[in-house]
Amino acid sequence: MEITFKGQAVELSGTPPKVGDKAPNFILKDLNDQPHSLEEMQGKPVILSVIPDIDTRVCALQTKRFNQEASQVSDVYFATISNNTKEEQANWCAKEGADMLMLHDPENKFGESYHLYIPKRDHFARAIFALDQEGTIRYEEIVSEISHEPDYEEALKQVRSLLA
C-alpha cells in the first residue's frame, strides 16, 4: 500500500488489516514496562491510535485528542502506539500531562504485523483502528497523507456504536 508524506510517495511494509478482519494480537510495553496485549483488552471496544512520531505536531494533536476522549469514556480501551522509545514517550507525556495508555514499539513488531511500518522513514503510518469486544476490526483509517490528522469523529462514532 502506498501513502504520502508531504506529497512524497512512501510504501508500507505490506497490506494492513481491514474492516472485518480479526486484529492481529500484539504484546507491547507501557511507560512502566508493563506488557499489554490485545487479547487482554477483549471484552471492551478498543481504539488503537497509531502515530509516526510523538515529537511531531500532528502526532501530538492526535494523542491529545484521544487522551481527552479516554478520560471521558470508561467503557473503551484507548491505546496510542508508536515506534518511539519509552523515554521519548515518557518525556512527551510528562510535558503534556497525558495519562493514557502509551505503548512503545521501537523494534517495529506491531508495525510489521499490522503492515504499517514504512521502511524508508523508519516510522509507522498514521492510522486508527476501532475494534469490537472480540477484537474484530469495525473501523480502520490509514491516513493517506501522513502529515494530516485522522477522522476522529468517525472513529469515535464507530466505537460508540459498539456500546449500544
Side-chain angles (χ1 to χ4, degrees), residues 1-12 51-53 55-59 116 118-126 142-149:
M1 176 177 193
E2 189 175 279
I3 59 175
T4 59
F5 175 69
K6 297 184 179 179
Q8 298 289 335
V10 292
E11 191 74 27
L12 298 180
I51 59 172
D53 183 356
D55 290 317
T56 60
R57 185 185 70 80
V58 177
C59 293
L116 295 173
I118 304 169
K120 185 176 179 179
R121 299 216 23 94
D122 193 32
H123 285 300
F124 299 157
R126 183 177 315 286
I142 313 301
V143 180
S144 60
E145 167 55 55
I146 295 171
S147 64
H148 294 170
E149 291 180 71

Side-chain angles (χ1 to χ4, degrees), residues 11-118:
E11 191 74 27
L12 298 180
S13 61
T15 303
K18 300 279 182 224
V19 171
D21 291 349
K22 184 80 167 168
N25 190 39
F26 58 81
I27 299 173
L28 297 173
K29 291 184 179 178
D30 65 17
L31 299 180
N32 295 315
D33 285 326
Q34 296 300 307
H36 293 268
S37 71
L38 185 57
E39 285 180 351
E40 77 182 26
M41 295 179 192
Q42 290 186 0
K44 287 184 179 183
V46 176
I47 285 193
L48 300 177
S49 174
V50 184
I51 59 172
D53 183 356
I54 192 64
D55 290 317
T56 60
R57 185 185 70 80
V58 177
C59 293
L61 290 171
Q62 182 174 336
T63 304
K64 287 177 189 178
R65 175 65 188 268
F66 284 122
N67 183 65
Q68 177 185 19
E69 294 294 335
S71 71
Q72 298 172 13
V73 181
S74 62
D75 293 335
V76 176
Y77 285 109
F78 287 86
T80 294
I81 302 171
S82 75
N83 67 342
N84 290 98
T85 66
K86 171 185 155 182
E87 292 75 20
E88 289 168 330
Q89 286 184 346
N91 290 341
W92 184 88
C93 287
K95 183 176 79 175
E96 297 295 334
D99 62 357
M100 70 179 293
L101 181 60
M102 299 288 292
L103 301 174
H104 52 281
D105 182 27
E107 294 87 25
N108 300 315
K109 292 176 187 173
F110 173 88
E112 288 293 341
S113 68
Y114 277 70
H115 302 290
L116 295 173
Y117 181 64
I118 304 169

